[in-house]
Amino acid sequence: RIDNWALCDTFCNSLKPRFPGDEAELWAFARPLYSSAQEYEARFAVVLQLSHFVEAEHLEEGLFLLQQVQHPGYYAKMGVAWALSVWYVSFPQEVEALLAQRTLEPWVQNKTIQKIRESRRVRPEEKEALLRYKRRETTFPIRDVFPPDPVPSVENFLERSVTYEVWLLCLPVGGSHFSFAPSRLPVCRGRLFLSGGQKHGPSAHPR
């Protein structure tokens, strides 16, 4: 059972076709897995493709199949971005045309561009040109995080914010109200520790 990226990628690399017909059977076996609802089944198909099938004869269908991966999991989406960056090295025009369509999920599109730009086999001018295809990723509205007050206070922020994570440890130093410890801090999600041991926030107990 494949349940992590390391096992998935190692196994895919070990599947080397040895006899006539093996390659076609392997390609056909992986084809329905791209749209799988299981994260590592989708990643298996993707990594298998980038490991053994980055060839002209598989170019058109390969790029099409990568677009069929819809699983929201990190390792499935990262696999697609990785595969597209590998395809780009050998077939830059075709992959750039896909990026220009902006049909990929924004995160996958931007991560693909990032990984292409990290490659040492891509010219600097090409890396710069790809930046025009970056997409704005959908995030939560800023109004859902910060209250509409002109100068939002810490108390208002903690009370009204829906999505916040405060990981701060405040210590009294030299008579000041509080200061921030520069060393490694104990993590307490959604809590602000003030001087004197007081705890402020929706609850006095960490979740």
Side-chain angles (χ1 to χ4, degrees):
R1 178 180 174 85
I2 297 177
D3 58 3
N4 65 81
W5 70 266
L7 178 61
C8 174
D9 297 3
T10 302
F11 181 62
C12 287
N13 278 287
S14 70
L15 293 175
K16 301 184 183 299
R18 296 184 178 182
F19 302 101
D22 283 359
E23 184 175 293
E25 289 185 14
L26 199 56
W27 181 260
F29 172 79
R31 189 179 285 116
L33 300 180
Y34 290 90
S35 56
S36 172
Q38 301 299 317
E39 181 173 15
Y40 289 104
E41 288 186 0
R43 184 177 174 95
F44 169 82
V46 170
V47 177
L48 186 70
Q49 179 185 134
L50 70 88
S51 299
H52 304 296
F53 297 101
V54 180
E55 304 165 337
E57 63 180 293
H58 297 295
L59 174 59
E60 183 176 356
E61 186 180 12
L63 296 183
F64 170 78
L65 290 172
L66 291 177
Q67 296 175 75
Q68 307 313 302
V69 177
Q70 300 298 321
H71 195 283
Y74 172 85
Y75 292 104
K77 297 196 296 185
M78 178 60 82
V80 174
W82 178 21
L84 289 172
S85 70
V86 173
W87 276 107
Y88 182 88
V89 173
S90 300
F91 303 94
Q93 293 181 346
E94 289 80 0
V95 176
E96 182 175 356
L98 173 59
L99 295 174
Q101 296 174 14
R102 293 178 170 83
T103 54
L104 296 171
E105 178 186 337
W107 190 93
V108 174
Q109 174 107 354
N110 294 341
K111 186 61 67 173
T112 299
I113 294 171
Q114 175 188 326
K115 296 193 73 64
I116 294 173
R117 285 169 53 80
E118 290 172 353
S119 174
R120 296 183 178 181
R121 296 188 289 172
V122 178
R123 294 178 299 177
E125 56 270 26
E126 293 181 55
K127 296 180 180 181
E128 290 302 311
L130 289 175
L131 289 175
R132 66 180 181 270
Y133 301 125
K134 291 193 69 173
R135 298 187 60 188
R136 183 182 298 276
E137 296 185 36
T138 302
T139 57
F140 46 80
I142 193 68
R143 64 177 179 273
D144 291 341
V145 178
F146 295 100
D149 307 57
V151 182
S153 64
V154 172
E155 289 78 11
N156 285 336
F157 176 77
L158 293 180
E159 291 174 1
R160 301 172 64 174
S161 172
V162 177
T163 55
Y164 69 89
E165 292 183 3
V166 180
W167 292 0
L168 301 176
L169 176 65
C170 303
L171 302 175
V173 175
S176 60
H177 182 60
F178 62 86
S179 62
F180 300 102
S183 59
R184 184 174 180 179
L185 307 180
V187 171
C188 180
R189 177 171 297 184
R191 300 294 177 268
L192 184 64
F193 285 69
L194 299 179
S195 60
Q198 295 175 310
K199 299 174 183 178
H200 293 255
S203 171
H205 302 285
R207 280 180 285 183

